[in-house]
Amino acid sequence: MLPVPHLILASASPARLTTLRRAGLNPEVIVSDVDETAVFGPTPAATAELLATMKAEAVVGRIEPVPGTVVLGCDSLLELDGQALGKPETTEAATERWRAMRGRTGVLHTGHCLMEPATGRRAVATASTTVRFADVTDAEIGAYVATGEPLRVAGAFTIDGRGGAFVEGIEGDHHNVVGVSLPLLRRLCAALGIAWTALWELPA
Ligand SMILES: Nc1nc2c(ncn2[C@H]2C[C@H](O)[C@@H](COP(=O)(O)OP(=O)(O)OP(=O)(O)O)O2)c(=O)[nH]1
């Protein structure tokens, strides 16, 4: 009898947790506290994947390798002009970001690392979603930055929050922009022999 899978989300992201819960999962949250500032890969997508792996590894290193447990680490970055953009540090940086982004297209990369501590197996991949930004005005940028939202999210925008009005369209997975790609996660689970529906919490 296979053990019932137990998913641990190695992320402090409320958006990732909400996305997984709405998809029928109920992960345990153990925040990795990985320092993301000094990590750079050869490309923005590679950096996101490297950080996702570091987050999952950090949590795996702190738990018992109970059979059936899987740990998910994620990291999201916006690629614009070849640069990897995480959360803006200041309101000035958020304002500059939007002045550079408006009317243009970026790519939101989310790295995913799913690890099975009991076996050492892992499945790692990055999903990328093209995002077209509206040509917002300086006044709209000022009002949006003043809400504080851009400072809390990678790429200084949300697609499902106040920033949604400033995203004209996407090509690729919507949830990947929020912070975790559900179809990619389903494939990573399958790579580890875990059926996606086995992760579903029974309806209350
Ligand atoms: N609700 C929402 N959140 C977004 C969106 N785009 C990015 N985010 C959030 C998701 C993550 O919480 C955050 C990306 O930063 P990170 O990947 O470093 O995760 P975070 O620092 O939140 O937690 P973690 O490092 O995983 O413990 O930005 C969006 O469109 N909607």
Side-chain angles (χ1 to χ4, degrees):
M1 178 73 172
L2 287 175
V4 174
H6 171 62
L7 178 62
I8 293 175
L9 175 60
S11 176
S13 170
R16 291 195 179 108
L17 181 57
T18 301
T19 300
L20 294 173
R21 282 181 171 162
R22 285 184 179 153
L25 283 58
N26 187 24
E28 176 186 358
V29 173
I30 301 179
V31 180
S32 72
D33 291 326
V34 160
D35 176 5
E36 305 182 34
T37 52
V39 177
F40 301 98
T43 64
T47 301
E49 198 161 298
L50 187 56
L51 280 164
T53 302
M54 289 171 66
K55 293 176 186 180
E57 288 175 341
V59 170
V60 166
R62 291 172 12 206
I63 62 171
E64 286 302 312
V66 175
T69 296
V70 281
V71 177
L72 173 65
C74 290
D75 189 77
S76 299
L77 291 170
L78 176 69
E79 179 175 355
L80 192 74
D81 300 328
Q83 276 197 306
L85 304 173
K87 299 177 191 169
E89 298 290 322
T90 63
T91 54
E92 292 75 19
T95 302
E96 280 167 37
R97 288 271 193 91
W98 267 100
R99 286 184 178 158
M101 283 155 48
R102 62 180 163 192
R104 299 182 61 205
T105 295
V107 182
L108 197 294
H109 303 287
T110 297
H112 301 63
C113 177
L114 191 65
M115 295 182 70
E116 193 176 48
T119 63
R121 295 193 304 165
R122 66 176 63 187
V124 186
T126 296
S128 301
T129 306
T130 301
V131 182
R132 282 184 292 113
F133 296 105
D135 190 10
V136 294
T137 65
D138 287 346
E140 286 173 317
I141 291 174
Y144 186 40
V145 172
T147 69
E149 181 179 278
L151 290 140
R152 295 191 292 269
V153 293
F157 79 100
T158 64
I159 192 169
D160 58 333
R162 294 175 188 265
F166 307 143
V167 174
E168 289 289 354
I170 64 171
E171 284 160 48
D173 179 22
H174 164 90
H175 291 109
N176 186 58
V177 180
V178 176
V180 55
S181 170
L182 297 172
L184 175 57
L185 183 54
R186 172 180 169 270
R187 294 196 298 274
L188 296 181
C189 287
L192 297 186
I194 297 167
W196 178 254
T197 52
L199 289 168
W200 280 349
E201 286 284 296
L202 293 177

